[in-house]
Amino acid sequence: MAILYVVATPIGNLEDITLRALETLKSVDLIVCEDTRVTKRLLDRYQINKPVLSYHQHSDLIKIQHIVDQLKNEKNVALVSDAGTPGISDPGNQLVAAAAQAEIKVVPIPGPSAVVSALSVAGVPTDNFIFYGFLPHKKGRQTIIGQIAENKMTSVFYESPHRILKALEQLKDVISDPGRQIIVCRELTKIYEEVVRGTIDEVFEYFNLKPIKGEFVVVVSGR
Ligand code: SAM
């Protein structure tokens, strides 16, 4: 029976890939990815030459069925995303569900994920945490910001460079306790990697003073 491998790939530094991930990508019949150009860069770096097929959040059921059919025809498939672990704020869950439904074995090949990388350097309790993925842009955003302010356990979320300052400003409005630690992780594993720690006022002031670029994970310590 064929296997669907769910393979984690680097979140920036192309050397952050496991031996098992490379072996798997070399061995499968088909690599299903988000943006074929992004995945090609990784495959070229490791001289892996395999057919790739794009699959994203808006892929229709016909595409999912096509991939499941390949698996039923004894083709091993690797699912990757542009960066990190597929299915974590990334496409993949529907395909995994369809494969599981067809009784196809689904095997994780663990590796990088921005949320876990950020928590690992945050220096705040992580025995329990709440991960919000991306905050909604409009509806429901303020409610979640309020929840984060109230949470007793650590909160963590992804944010785009366009909205990071807004998120910090919104948190500043609801977090009054100066003991709360905010850790903003920018461009992890990349050249401009930066981990900014402080109170909400300190962190907001820091980012308020400069142009904002890159990818961000925000960690907020519990109340
Ligand atoms: N599946 C991925 C994972 O496991 O980390 C997450 C994909 S999600 C579409 C992309 C978001 O993850 C970015 O907008 C950013 O918030 C966060 N992210 C990804 N790479 C990052 C990095 N190198 N440094 C900081 N945040 C990163």
Side-chain angles (χ1 to χ4, degrees):
M1 188 65 158
I3 295 177
L4 172 63
Y5 295 96
V6 180
V7 182
T9 58
I11 57 168
N13 186 324
L14 288 189
E15 296 195 356
D16 291 333
I17 185 148
T18 68
L19 296 175
R20 196 162 161 238
L22 290 175
E23 293 283 306
T24 304
L25 294 173
K26 279 180 191 155
S27 75
V28 291
D29 301 292
L30 175 67
I31 298 174
V32 172
C33 58
E34 282 184 89
D35 184 335
T36 53
R37 290 162 304 180
V38 173
T39 298
K40 276 278 187 197
R41 271 203 292 279
L42 177 71
L43 299 180
D44 287 350
R45 169 79 163 70
Y46 292 101
Q47 287 142 29
I48 298 170
N49 196 5
K50 287 284 169 180
V52 292
L53 177 71
S54 80
Y55 165 83
H56 43 79
Q57 224 166 323
H58 307 293
S59 288
D60 52 25
L61 290 175
I62 294 171
K63 192 144 209 185
I64 293 176
Q65 193 52 51
H66 170 72
I67 299 166
V68 171
D69 286 344
Q70 301 281 310
L71 287 154
K72 283 184 178 162
N73 289 334
E74 294 301 315
K75 305 269 186 237
N76 287 318
V77 174
L79 168 68
V80 299
S81 59
D82 283 352
T85 302
I88 309 300
S89 295
D90 257 346
N93 300 320
Q94 277 180 301
L95 176 58
V96 167
Q101 176 79 27
E103 299 194 356
I104 286 155
K105 191 170 178 189
V106 183
V107 170
I109 308 291
S113 184
V115 55
V116 174
S117 305
L119 287 168
S120 75
V121 295
V124 295
T126 51
D127 37 358
N128 296 296
F129 62 86
I130 300 185
F131 174 49
Y132 288 92
F134 287 102
L135 302 188
H137 297 178
K138 292 199 175 96
K139 197 166 178 287
R141 186 178 172 96
Q142 195 55 50
T143 309
I144 291 181
I145 294 278
Q147 276 174 21
I148 292 173
E150 287 304 310
N151 280 341
K152 288 200 173 128
M153 62 180 85
T154 296
S155 306
V156 53
F157 62 91
Y158 289 159
E159 193 51 282
S160 77
H162 317 292
R163 274 177 287 273
I164 182 76
L165 201 60
K166 180 176 172 198
L168 295 176
E169 190 170 23
Q170 288 178 310
L171 285 170
K172 196 162 117 70
D173 288 343
V174 289
I175 294 180
S176 48
D177 174 4
R180 294 289 284 276
Q181 276 291 299
I182 314 294
I183 303 97
V184 179
C185 301
R186 183 172 89 88
E187 295 285 88
L188 292 173
T189 79
K190 304 187 202 178
I191 299 174
Y192 298 107
E193 176 179 279
E194 187 172 36
V195 178
V196 180
R197 307 163 195 275
T199 63
I200 184 62
D201 289 347
E202 288 166 345
V203 170
F204 175 79
E205 283 315 316
Y206 179 87
F207 284 104
N208 198 19
L209 291 175
K210 51 192 234 171
I212 296 183
K213 285 190 190 143
E215 299 194 280
F216 293 85
V217 184
V218 181
V219 180
V220 181
S221 69
R223 184 156 62 85

